Amino acid sequence: MLDRSIIEKLEALVGKENVLTSKMDLVAYSYDATADVPRQAPDVVVLPTTSEMVQEIVNLARANKIAIYPRGSGTNLSGGTIPLKKGIVLSMQRMNKILDVDAANLTAVVQPGVVIAALNSAVAPFGLIYPPDPGTVTTASMGGSCAENSGGLRGLKYGVTKNYIMGLEVVLANGEKVRFGGKTVKNVTAYDFSNLFVGSEGTLGIITEITAKLIPAPKYRRSMMGIFKTLQDAGNAVAGIIAAQVIPATLEIMDQMTIRTVEDFANIGLPTDAKALLLIEVDGMSQDVVTAEAEAVMNVVKTNNGDLHTADTDQERDQLWTARRNALPALASLNNTVVLEDATVPRSRITDMLVACENIGKKYNLTLGTFGHAGDGNLHPTILCDKYNKEEISRVHKAVDEIFEAALGFGGTLSGEHGIGIAKMKYLGNELGQSGLNLMRSMKEALDPEYLLNPGKMVPLKEV
Amino acid sequence: MLDRSIIEKLEALVGKENVLTSKMDLVAYSYDATADVPRQAPDVVVLPTTSEMVQEIVNLARANKIAIYPRGSGTNLSGGTIPLKKGIVLSMQRMNKILDVDAANLTAVVQPGVVIAALNSAVAPFGLIYPPDPGTVTTASMGGSCAENSGGLRGLKYGVTKNYIMGLEVVLANGEKVRFGGKTVKNVTAYDFSNLFVGSEGTLGIITEITAKLIPAPKYRRSMMGIFKTLQDAGNAVAGIIAAQVIPATLEIMDQMTIRTVEDFANIGLPTDAKALLLIEVDGMSQDVVTAEAEAVMNVVKTNNGDLHTADTDQERDQLWTARRNALPALASLNNTVVLEDATVPRSRITDMLVACENIGKKYNLTLGTFGHAGDGNLHPTILCDKYNKEEISRVHKAVDEIFEAALGFGGTLSGEHGIGIAKMKYLGNELGQSGLNLMRSMKEALDPEYLLNPGKMVPLKEV
């Protein structure tokens, strides 16, 4: 429990209305969207409105050795925002101004609390988009998605968050504010700090301003659904589309378990006897190119024994994407706990990984569905379970261990877009080796020697 | 001078044929492509052939407090490879194997000594390209261009080196070898070390293996030249093309001084009375899109009082790009010293920067030509001078100071693609502030506490 005098100092710094200490508020900030990780209520939640306030809060925390847990909208899926050591939750939600939209330079400057969808609404009148679109695009914040380097449905063609961050302002653990990058499309001045802080999950600094890259909105698109009788056919079709040198904006997969659950949940007429669906959207600036790409996709689907349905109207398109966006909520409705992973493999190993996930589910007698960004090799094997059933949870843990083992065996990685947080820290050594873990710790201690910022995430706390 | 026993140990480690100590060899490694920086011959040049050898060399150097200067082909333009403190030049040129071309995953794995053009030759049969193309593409190495985060002519549409590096193996100053990233297109496991080492100019670690992203080669292209009567018109045309939401592969500018010099040098019929030329290439997968983009470019050129010439044959296209590729050699032929800068501004400030450079040249009575990647806002103001004329060199230094002051004033950056090295270190504080310089030093000391790797570059040596 923090000394009352600290709370009073925080109130003096940011205003009483921006300091939360009620039991209800503290419980509300004790968790995020991640299942099967510990919960911990903080001592206090502080909502600064300027970067100077952030500096003062950091200085106060450092002087009193209080942990700081930076937080956007709390939608992350690796336990990245849980206040393990109590301390201060630093919510950036009230730093939510769009500071600049510069259509001539294709850039926007925003505060970290701006919701991704709000940025897209602001740039739409200029014919522009900010492409990164995690499933939580209507709630996730720019700061949080930078800290997590979020992916999303359009990642295959348009890349992930880090591909769109041109500059940052960051408050460091020593209280200093640094700015790097900016509106120039090329910049090799200094080390690439923007990319270092993007994806650092709040463990190296607190992002207080973001310069983001925008692109012209694609003018044409075509959405399609491929229906397959085997996982292998679906996986081969994914590889075939890429091999045909078509890069769809979106190339998503759902296995039978996911298809059936979504259909039960949303009643949109999905083919529940299919073993796998591919949801595909090609887009671009030219009707002809989009048409040619759609035809190439059709051919690949047919060659791999799939049936192809095309969305001919906006309504049909929306229905298709509703299916995909409902995958997680539908699965989540089945039981009290959803363990959602994001093991990622090279594209050519997608089929192997799909089959491996299916087999692991069977081996441990678990309700396991897989969906995800097939074109990126970024799958979401998802286990529905009962957190009160200890025996089942122990099977879940064994299955998750094997999923990661399989992904690394296929030349893959622990996380394609959800981050390490606390959920995957124990696997890090398997991918990075001891020298990689040492490098992580060197980096952490160079920027945050006292483990003040989001302690216990990405880099394990030191044994004392 | 190194003790003979060290040389013998190096010979034992890598073989006598991979250790150079003759006076001629040492002189050959005493400089790179940068003008107006000190020269210094090393004590020894070592050319390892495996990453294990690199580890052993680093361990030997650390034990004996000998500086290591990693080097690719030595084409960099910021003094990044000059052995300031003598010591060991570690040339990576004999680690030059292409280890893997994986068309299904659109990746290649290479050793650092592979020349960029050699990689492109190896992937061409698969219909693929590795897009980054610095002017030195036929000599620059993959390792060197990673260390420098090289740009190039295609940067506007296709991005720079860092956009194509998916994974690295690096030997650290502590002798440990770390690997991160790989063939997965998404990866948020650990901090983004790939992007940290790319552009770190050999000051944080030695790159010993690279996993690079490839893309399908564009099928169609159209090259054009816009001829303008004023710099302003040319600058406005650049902004107009981007505003029309056309992203050419290449959008280059040459001012009158450069045009005349190239024409004198190469006799290819350039319009020597023009105040500025734009060289433009649009490309893509669809003839229709390329045609539509070319038409949009034509309209913008005309709207801005330009004449447009189109290259209708491959021969005409080659001639056009010969003009651009000759810009630097042509200017270099005029005098004994070429000071080539790469101050970079947001695209919308291109005209301002062009005019500023012209005025600075006049103010200091210097032969100053400007060419460069206009579409990126990445200009190369280039001063031709006589290094033996001290009075002139002092005017050059003042002009360069003012060029950087102007770029930063326009919201730009010190370097778009040439790096900091030793040439721009003194300006770093102007862009990053003291807190940014502190952050640079923290990073350097976390990974290389003894300043063993490329000491005196990017981060100033400590005053002792």
Side-chain angles (χ1 to χ4, degrees), chain A residues 175-193:
Chain A
E176 289 185 347
K177 188 158 69 174
V178 287
R179 295 179 70 93
F180 29 78
K183 288 187 181 184
T184 62
V185 293
K186 287 162 88 176
N187 185 326
V188 295
T189 301
Y191 299 132
D192 186 354
F193 293 121

Side-chain angles (χ1 to χ4, degrees), chain B residues 276-447:
Chain B
L277 290 185
L278 292 183
L279 303 174
I280 309 150
E281 185 165 286
V282 292
D283 71 5
M285 289 301 174
S286 147
Q287 183 74 273
D288 293 346
V289 174
V290 170
T291 303
E293 290 190 347
E295 278 166 12
V297 167
M298 281 177 218
N299 287 335
V300 172
V301 168
K302 282 175 194 159
T303 308
N304 289 285
N305 313 309
D307 285 334
L308 192 102
H309 288 222
T310 302
D312 292 322
T313 64
D314 277 355
Q315 195 194 351
E316 281 176 38
R317 174 185 183 269
D318 290 346
Q319 203 168 35
L320 211 90
W321 294 112
T322 299
R324 170 60 182 85
R325 297 226 178 244
N326 273 325
L328 181 55
L331 289 167
S333 70
L334 288 191
N335 207 332
N336 62 38
T337 305
V338 187
V339 175
L340 176 65
E341 294 303 344
D342 74 322
T344 301
V345 295
R347 286 174 183 137
S348 64
R349 307 307 295 272
I350 274 284
T351 309
D352 298 326
M353 189 64 196
L354 284 165
V355 172
C357 290
E358 193 177 47
N359 290 339
I360 291 167
K362 282 182 193 155
K363 176 174 172 186
Y364 290 103
N365 190 28
L366 292 167
T367 306
L368 187 153
T370 298
F371 64 98
H373 318 300
D376 298 325
N378 179 195
L379 295 176
H380 296 311
T382 302
I383 304 171
L384 295 321
C385 51
D386 173 6
K387 64 184 167 189
Y388 305 108
N389 179 340
K390 287 202 173 147
E391 184 276 327
E392 187 184 44
I393 290 291
S394 86
R395 279 184 281 127
V396 170
H397 292 169
K398 282 179 194 158
V400 170
D401 289 351
E402 284 195 24
I403 286 169
F404 287 124
E405 202 180 311
L408 294 182
F410 294 136
T413 183
L414 298 173
S415 179
E417 58 181 15
H418 292 172
I420 298 304
I422 46 179
K424 294 182 200 166
M425 223 162 42
K426 71 170 174 165
Y427 303 108
L428 259 184
N430 300 347
E431 180 164 344
L432 299 178
Q434 188 56 48
S435 59
L437 294 182
N438 296 344
L439 180 59
M440 291 285 289
R441 193 172 289 284
S442 303
M443 195 68 58
K444 171 71 175 172
E445 295 191 351
L447 295 189

Side-chain angles (χ1 to χ4, degrees), chain A residues 105 186 191 288 348 413 417, chain B residues 105 186 189 203 288 348 417:
Chain A
N105 284 307
K186 287 162 88 176
Y191 299 132
D288 293 345
S348 64
T413 183
E417 59 181 14
Chain B
N105 285 308
K186 289 163 84 176
T189 300
T203 64
D288 293 346
S348 64
E417 58 181 15

Side-chain angles (χ1 to χ4, degrees), chain A residues 213-275:
Chain A
K213 173 180 163 179
L214 308 172
I215 64 168
K219 291 189 180 121
Y220 304 95
R221 62 191 180 195
R222 185 80 72 83
S223 293
M224 294 161 279
M225 176 166 71
I227 303 167
F228 295 88
K229 293 190 188 70
T230 71
L231 271 181
Q232 281 84 347
D233 282 339
N236 292 340
V238 170
I241 290 167
I242 304 293
Q245 301 192 341
V246 173
I247 310 287
T250 304
L251 177 45
E252 297 285 310
I253 195 164
M254 294 166 64
D255 71 357
Q256 188 171 49
M257 159 80 197
T258 311
I259 299 165
R260 291 184 173 177
T261 311
V262 171
E263 183 55 26
D264 285 349
F265 183 82
N267 286 303
I268 47 182
L270 293 181
T272 51
D273 54 341
K275 285 289 279 182

Side-chain angles (χ1 to χ4, degrees), chain A residues 102-106 126-128 148-152 155-156 160 162-163 165 172 174 176-193 195-201 203-204 215-217 219 239 242-243 245 247 285-286 288-289 293 342 344-349 373 375-378 411-420 428 431-432 434-436 438-444 446-447 457-459, chain B residues 102-106 126-128 148-152 155-156 160 162-163 165 172 174 176-193 195-201 203-204 215-217 219 239 242-243 245 247 285-286 288-289 293 342 344-349 373 375-378 411-420 428 431-432 434-436 438-444 446-447 457-459:
Chain A
D102 181 343
N105 284 307
L106 299 175
F126 301 93
L128 299 173
E148 296 287 326
N149 188 16
S150 302
L156 175 55
V160 298
K162 72 173 176 181
N163 305 117
I165 304 307
L172 302 175
N174 63 10
E176 289 185 347
K177 188 158 69 174
V178 287
R179 295 179 70 93
F180 29 78
K183 288 187 181 184
T184 62
V185 293
K186 287 162 88 176
N187 185 326
V188 295
T189 301
Y191 299 132
D192 186 354
F193 293 121
N195 271 303
L196 180 65
F197 285 97
V198 171
S200 68
E201 302 185 12
T203 64
L204 300 180
I215 64 168
K219 291 189 180 121
I242 304 293
Q245 301 192 341
I247 310 287
M285 289 299 175
S286 146
D288 293 345
V289 175
E293 290 191 344
D342 74 325
T344 300
V345 294
R347 285 172 184 142
S348 64
R349 306 308 296 270
H373 318 299
D376 298 324
N378 179 197
T413 183
L414 297 172
S415 179
E417 59 181 14
H418 293 172
I420 299 302
L428 259 184
E431 181 165 342
L432 299 178
Q434 188 57 48
S435 59
N438 296 344
L439 180 60
M440 292 285 291
R441 193 173 289 284
S442 302
M443 196 67 58
K444 172 71 175 173
L447 294 188
K457 314 296 174 67
M458 290 190 91
V459 179
Chain B
D102 182 343
N105 285 308
L106 299 175
F126 301 94
L128 300 172
E148 296 288 324
N149 188 17
S150 303
L156 175 54
V160 296
K162 75 173 176 180
N163 304 119
I165 304 307
L172 302 175
N174 64 10
E176 289 185 345
K177 185 158 72 173
V178 289
R179 296 179 69 92
F180 29 77
K183 288 189 181 182
T184 62
V185 293
K186 289 163 84 176
N187 185 328
V188 295
T189 300
Y191 300 131
D192 186 354
F193 293 120
N195 271 302
L196 180 63
F197 285 96
V198 171
S200 67
E201 302 185 12
T203 64
L204 300 180
I215 65 167
K219 292 189 180 121
I242 304 293
Q245 301 193 343
I247 310 288
M285 289 301 174
S286 147
D288 293 346
V289 174
E293 290 190 347
D342 74 322
T344 301
V345 295
R347 286 174 183 137
S348 64
R349 307 307 295 272
H373 318 300
D376 298 325
N378 179 195
T413 183
L414 298 173
S415 179
E417 58 181 15
H418 292 172
I420 298 304
L428 259 184
E431 180 164 344
L432 299 178
Q434 188 56 48
S435 59
N438 296 344
L439 180 59
M440 291 285 289
R441 193 172 289 284
S442 303
M443 195 68 58
K444 171 71 175 172
L447 295 189
K457 315 296 173 67
M458 291 191 91
V459 179

Side-chain angles (χ1 to χ4, degrees), chain B residues 139-165:
Chain B
T139 44
S141 70
M142 288 293 295
S145 60
C146 281
E148 296 288 324
N149 188 17
S150 303
L153 294 186
R154 283 194 289 223
L156 175 54
K157 181 168 181 178
Y158 293 104
V160 296
T161 302
K162 75 173 176 180
N163 304 119
Y164 292 89
I165 304 307

